[in-house]
Amino acid sequence: MDKIVVKGGPALHGEVKASGAKNAALPILASSLLADGKSTYRNVPDLVDVSTMLKVLRTMGCGAERLSETAKDVCEVTVGAGITPEAPYELVKTMRASVLVLGPLVARYGRARVSLPGGCAIGARPIDQHLKGLKALGADITLTEGYVEARAERLRGATVNFDLITVTGTENVMMAAVLAKGRTVLENCAREPEVEELARVLNKMGARIEGGGTSVITIDGVDALHPVEHAILPDRIEAGTLLVAAAISGGDVLVKHAVPEHMEAVVLKLREAGCTVTTENGGVRCKAPQTLRPVDVTTTEHPGFPTDMQAQLMVLLSVAQGTSVISEHIFENRFMHVAELHRMGADITIQGPTAVVKGVPKLSGAPVMATDLRASASLILAGLRAEGRTDVQRVYHLDRGYERLELKLRSLGADIQRMKA
Ligand code: EPU
């Protein structure tokens, strides 16, 4: 098992490229199931979660491969006859987003059997809204032996009003509705750029979707879709993490390909903290201030401040001059990094869904343990600033969602390496 070793100190400088977005790649790969033939995707990040989705597709009988070393960002998915519309527990338990095959499978094959994802480190994360949407479209849903079974002759368009805003729920039901008979109206949808991107890809495949990226999505069902070629949009969370790396190390970094419109809430908070954030050369630059200021932040659905950047911003604020208040409104258990940050000298108190972060003059390096994907990134960010050496264990969490973060940080001047734990 690997660990990441960071020696704090160097200010990061230079340019780095954002990779393709994990949370766009996963539903888009799943959407391949909606059409026979070969779909080709570029700018697909080389991540464990992407490999897991390719494995899920292969298990069902699709061809699903990343191309050679020279075109590593390209994935091809081929769908033909003989698909087994089933996602087994062994894979779903390693990645909840596997549940994204449910909508496409029931829409296309009239039948799906997908393991019900359990809870995870950041919260219970039920999928009741996915199921509510599919039921409204006429799917017959049963839960047996830990699996969701969905059946339908052909789905029928319907109006679905989600009880809460869910990203993959919106995506799953949208993918189901594209092949339903008639019009579907989805209300109270997630507005994340990744949902908009999925709608764009489905439309390229021949779907008729309006309103992707807004809270009401209208879908006129079609009889069949065709495969697609598409380049995945840049990862706004990876980009945001790299901007925080610049800020916390006292540096100045341009994250190329970062899309400023996708990151407004993060940019705003970095500016409030005193950073100079500008848009230039097809990217976003962050220059650290002399002194970081405290900032209050509440995570909410897009376009609000993303929960996936909460841990990273918390680390930045842990060395600001003053007290910040961070409220987590999306997941009930997303402060697991706090206990590890305490070990590095941070002064953070948790009160229910709120963390009170009192800035300290310095952090000190320590052995720490990653508990989930974004928590692992935050511990590495803390290590960039800390005095001495930080060993971040359990980096398999990091590899699920960051494409060799240590190499990107090293290219900017960080003293960081991957080692055998
Ligand atoms: N929820 C329900 N019922 C549902 C669906 C969601 O109660 O049927 C609740 C969840 O428990 C949570 C809230 O609604 O409290 C929002 O969850 P959402 O469904 O939006 O999350 P998700 O779709 O499972 C995606 C991202 C997450 C990201 C969240 C929130 C993907 C593959 N995953 O998850 O990404 O944190 O949206 O923005 O798109 C990450 O990349 O580190 C990550 C966890």
Side-chain angles (χ1 to χ4, degrees):
M1 214 182 285
D2 291 351
K3 65 179 179 180
I4 301 278
V5 176
V6 196
K7 290 189 187 132
L12 304 192
H13 285 279
E15 297 183 2
V16 64
K17 182 173 129 349
S19 298
K22 167 179 84 79
N23 290 347
L26 297 175
I28 289 171
L29 288 168
S31 77
S32 318
L33 287 163
L34 289 163
D36 271 356
K38 183 168 81 184
S39 289
T40 306
Y41 307 106
R42 282 172 286 115
N43 205 32
V44 184
D46 189 6
L47 305 171
V48 173
D49 274 7
V50 167
S51 305
T52 305
M53 184 57 89
L54 294 174
K55 206 185 273 179
V56 170
L57 294 169
R58 280 197 302 272
T59 309
M60 290 177 191
C62 304
E65 297 294 340
R66 190 175 282 284
L67 294 193
S68 63
E69 285 295 313
T70 48
K72 256 195 125 183
D73 69 314
V74 181
C75 284
E76 286 180 353
V77 180
T78 309
V79 181
I83 297 295
T84 311
E86 208 172 300
Y89 175 66
E90 289 64 38
L91 289 173
V92 180
K93 77 172 184 205
T94 65
M95 185 183 71
R96 316 177 43 82
S98 313
V99 79
L100 282 163
V101 298
L102 185 60
L105 286 178
V106 67
R108 179 85 201 292
Y109 299 97
R111 184 168 78 82
R113 187 167 183 269
V114 174
S115 173
L116 195 62
C120 80
I122 61 177
R125 304 182 76 182
I127 59 160
D128 55 299
Q129 297 303 306
H130 304 227
L131 302 184
K132 169 182 162 161
L134 296 177
K135 270 187 204 158
L137 295 179
D140 180 23
I141 309 268
T142 49
L143 299 179
T144 35
E145 296 167 350
Y147 279 74
V148 181
E149 290 196 15
R151 281 176 188 273
E153 281 280 305
R154 181 167 181 193
L155 297 173
R156 299 179 308 274
T159 295
V160 179
N161 189 297
F162 291 109
D163 300 329
L164 50 81
I165 299 178
T166 157
V167 176
T168 49
T170 302
E171 292 166 345
N172 228 341
V173 183
M174 180 165 72
M175 287 191 280
V178 291
L179 289 178
K181 190 165 176 55
R183 172 169 286 195
T184 298
V185 180
L186 305 181
E187 298 170 346
N188 199 26
C189 294
R191 292 181 281 163
E192 268 67 1
E194 294 77 18
V195 177
E196 186 179 0
E197 171 89 338
L198 175 64
R200 196 175 299 125
V201 172
L202 293 169
N203 282 340
K204 269 182 155 178
M205 295 171 79
R208 292 172 56 203
I209 303 174
E210 275 181 23
T214 74
S215 49
V216 179
I217 301 179
T218 305
I219 303 144
D220 284 307
V222 296
D223 291 336
L225 298 177
H226 51 77
V228 74
E229 269 193 50
H230 186 77
I232 308 285
L233 90 177
D235 195 314
R236 64 196 164 96
I237 304 298
E238 186 209 24
T241 304
L242 292 164
L243 295 181
V244 173
I248 199 164
S249 69
D252 181 351
V253 170
L254 173 65
V255 182
K256 289 166 78 175
H257 302 321
V259 182
E261 299 77 38
H262 294 170
M263 312 177 57
E264 279 172 1
V266 170
V267 166
L268 228 79
K269 289 298 164 188
L270 288 173
R271 284 188 182 138
E272 258 181 71
C275 303
T276 308
V277 186
T278 48
T279 302
E280 57 182 84
N281 273 346
V284 178
R285 175 184 290 278
C286 179
K287 184 169 181 295
Q290 286 292 339
T291 310
L292 285 160
R293 291 194 294 261
V295 166
D296 292 345
V297 66
T298 299
T299 63
T300 51
E301 298 87 358
H302 192 80
F305 190 89
T307 175
D308 291 344
M309 280 297 298
Q310 179 256 106
Q312 301 90 315
L313 189 75
M314 185 184 289
V315 169
L316 184 70
L317 298 176
S318 75
V319 290
Q321 216 165 64
T323 300
S324 306
V325 177
I326 300 183
S327 298
E328 170 60 55
H329 276 205
I330 304 294
F331 291 113
E332 65 271 25
N333 196 21
R334 215 175 195 184
F335 285 144
M336 304 271 281
H337 42 284
V338 171
E340 298 302 302
L341 292 173
H342 282 158
R343 307 191 61 254
M344 300 179 73
D347 182 350
I348 304 169
T349 316
I350 299 177
Q351 297 161 357
T354 298
V356 178
V357 184
K358 287 193 184 139
V360 293
K362 69 179 181 71
L363 296 173
S364 46
V368 286
M369 205 127 70
T371 48
D372 77 75
L373 167 55
R374 307 303 168 186
S376 26
S378 76
L379 296 173
I380 290 175
L381 294 173
L384 293 175
R385 173 70 174 235
E387 279 178 9
R389 168 175 163 160
T390 298
D391 289 27
V392 183
Q393 319 263 1
R394 297 200 181 157
V395 290
Y396 51 84
H397 290 294
L398 186 79
D399 296 334
R400 291 186 55 175
Y402 287 92
E403 197 172 46
R404 299 308 295 258
L405 185 61
E406 77 278 13
L407 294 187
K408 291 197 180 188
L409 293 173
R410 199 183 317 149
S411 76
L412 297 169
D415 185 343
I416 183 168
Q417 337 186 15
R418 180 179 290 258
M419 289 179 166
K420 288 275 164 242

